[in-house]
Amino acid sequence: MKLQTAIVTGGCGFIGSHLVDTLLGEGVRVVAIDNLSTGRLSNLDGVSSHSRLEIIQADISVPGTWADPFANADAVFHLAALADIMPSLEKPADYFQSNVTGTLHVLEAARTRGVKTILYAASSSCYGLAKTFPTPESAPIQPEYPYALTKFLGEQLLLHWAKVYRMKAVSLRLFNVYGPRSRTTGAYGAVFGVFLKQKLAGEPLTIVGEGTQKRDFVFVSDVVQAFLSAAKSDSHTDVYNVGSGRPVAVNDLANLLGGARVRIPKRPGEPDCTHADISKIRRALEWSPAVPFEAGVQRMLDHIEYWRDAPLWTPQSIEVATKAWFHYLQQTS
């Protein structure tokens, strides 16, 4: 499939902005839609004046004229969502509105305007505390918190709309995506943003538990290529894991970053390991991750100034920020 015009929801966000850059580089006209709740216009500074880029500031959870450009689109890349565990525990209705209702509005905008291809950024958090490693797409779905549930419900809407309304829909269950421009919002979240700010500030890295827990880190440029491979493929109504297939211990990440460390309590509801089985996407889409972890970490360090204005997390502030985590998830773990 040759893309001429694409919609990217969440186009000013971490993954979305990298996707916009790449689409423009391939000659595609791009409409980026973002409410800027977590995305930043500065993420598109390098292309903001591009003749083939239109940026619309709008909230997809509210119907509006933001949907009008769908009439001319070949594909929609739906990445807009609220992320992070803690805020979803405290404000689950906000997450449902954004991640479920928002997805419904995007699907309806596409359906009523004749868009036949939708790519969805799903989350590997749907697997919860997985028991099979590497974890295949057929593994049990067991969300541990509202964020994970709402992202899975969005995926279910996507697949149902594809079946009923004969649309091409591909859901990519993203594992631990990292890279330049990863979020720096006030919510306590992804390990890279926490560690890089701590390194900039000369503070110790906060290691959860013993640091032996492993995460399947996948570099953002590899994720972008997975989206493009899915869009251009003949795949219809399918789900794929997107990860490196090579989990890395948090201690190993800390070794690469260097510096002092301090340990904080292990949290309920967090897996000891995330490990994507990527055999399906390798086979069907001929996609494979290209960026080795060590090279990806170096690229993060090369762009470390991006996190200068990020919040600085200390053991004390993390304890306060994660109280709800222990309160709610301790009961189910």
Side-chain angles (χ1 to χ4, degrees):
M1 171 186 172
K2 172 68 174 175
L3 289 178
Q4 293 184 316
T5 301
I7 307 289
V8 180
T9 71
C12 296
F14 165 38
I15 302 172
S17 64
H18 284 280
L19 178 59
V20 168
D21 287 347
T22 302
L23 287 167
L24 290 171
E26 294 196 354
V28 180
R29 180 178 178 272
V30 180
V31 179
I33 302 172
D34 204 300
N35 68 358
L36 303 182
S37 61
T38 57
R40 305 163 79 175
L41 285 172
S42 60
N43 284 340
L44 294 178
D45 275 352
V47 295
S48 59
S49 60
H50 202 295
S51 61
R52 281 186 276 103
L53 174 63
E54 178 183 1
I55 301 174
I56 298 175
Q57 185 175 345
D59 186 348
I60 60 163
S61 69
V62 180
T65 56
W66 57 263
D68 292 345
F70 282 56
N72 300 312
D74 303 306
V76 173
F77 296 86
H78 179 34
L79 283 72
L82 286 179
D84 293 320
I85 296 172
M86 273 304 308
S88 81
L89 288 166
E90 296 168 332
K91 299 179 179 179
D94 290 355
Y95 276 68
F96 192 94
Q97 180 72 9
S98 174
N99 300 353
V100 184
T101 303
T103 297
L104 172 64
H105 291 160
V106 169
L107 291 171
E108 280 294 270
R111 179 185 72 83
T112 57
R113 290 164 179 80
V115 182
K116 292 299 184 182
T117 300
I118 303 182
L119 298 308
Y120 176 70
S123 172
S124 64
S125 62
C126 67
Y127 299 122
L129 304 177
K131 294 181 172 58
T132 302
F133 303 105
T135 305
E137 290 85 354
S138 58
I141 301 300
Q142 43 193 13
E144 291 285 318
Y145 34 83
Y147 164 69
L149 175 62
T150 57
K151 288 299 291 180
F152 180 68
L153 291 175
E155 179 183 277
Q156 291 300 293
L157 282 173
L158 172 84
L159 299 177
H160 186 75
W161 255 242
K163 176 183 176 182
V164 174
Y165 301 113
R166 297 179 178 85
M167 305 163 82
K168 170 182 173 176
V170 180
S171 181
L172 301 182
R173 292 178 181 168
L174 308 182
F175 276 67
N176 301 82
V177 187
Y178 73 106
R181 305 180 203 158
S182 58
R183 290 174 298 104
T184 60
T185 59
Y188 177 67
V191 63
F192 263 102
V194 173
F195 279 4
L196 289 172
K197 175 61 178 186
Q198 290 167 342
K199 183 174 178 65
L200 274 170
E203 294 292 329
L205 307 182
T206 47
I207 306 293
V208 175
E210 296 300 314
T212 55
Q213 64 272 30
K214 292 185 175 183
R215 295 292 177 263
D216 193 323
F217 294 109
V218 57
F219 199 71
V220 65
S221 60
D222 285 331
V223 171
V224 166
Q225 289 305 315
F227 274 107
L228 295 180
S229 296
K232 297 172 183 177
S233 74
D234 294 327
S235 183
H236 280 71
T237 318
D238 220 332
V239 176
Y240 299 102
N241 286 337
V242 178
S244 67
R246 296 176 178 273
V248 175
V250 170
N251 282 335
D252 292 334
L253 167 59
N255 289 339
L256 289 171
L257 294 177
R261 309 176 196 185
V262 62
R263 301 202 181 280
I264 59 176
K266 189 176 186 297
R267 298 183 286 256
E270 278 196 313
D272 291 327
C273 179
T274 63
H275 184 179
D277 182 341
I278 56 175
S279 58
K280 182 179 177 181
I281 193 171
R282 284 184 188 272
R283 181 177 63 253
L285 303 186
E286 298 182 347
W287 172 89
S288 293
V291 180
F293 185 66
E294 293 77 6
V297 171
Q298 185 56 54
R299 292 192 203 179
M300 297 288 277
L301 290 171
D302 291 342
H303 293 85
I304 195 170
E305 283 299 319
Y306 183 86
W307 287 271
R308 179 68 65 183
D309 296 328
L312 174 62
W313 292 99
T314 65
Q316 294 74 27
S317 62
I318 292 172
E319 181 181 4
V320 173
T322 57
K323 278 186 177 179
W325 199 323
F326 285 89
H327 175 72
Y328 293 112
L329 297 186
Q330 192 78 55
Q331 307 169 36
T332 59
S333 299

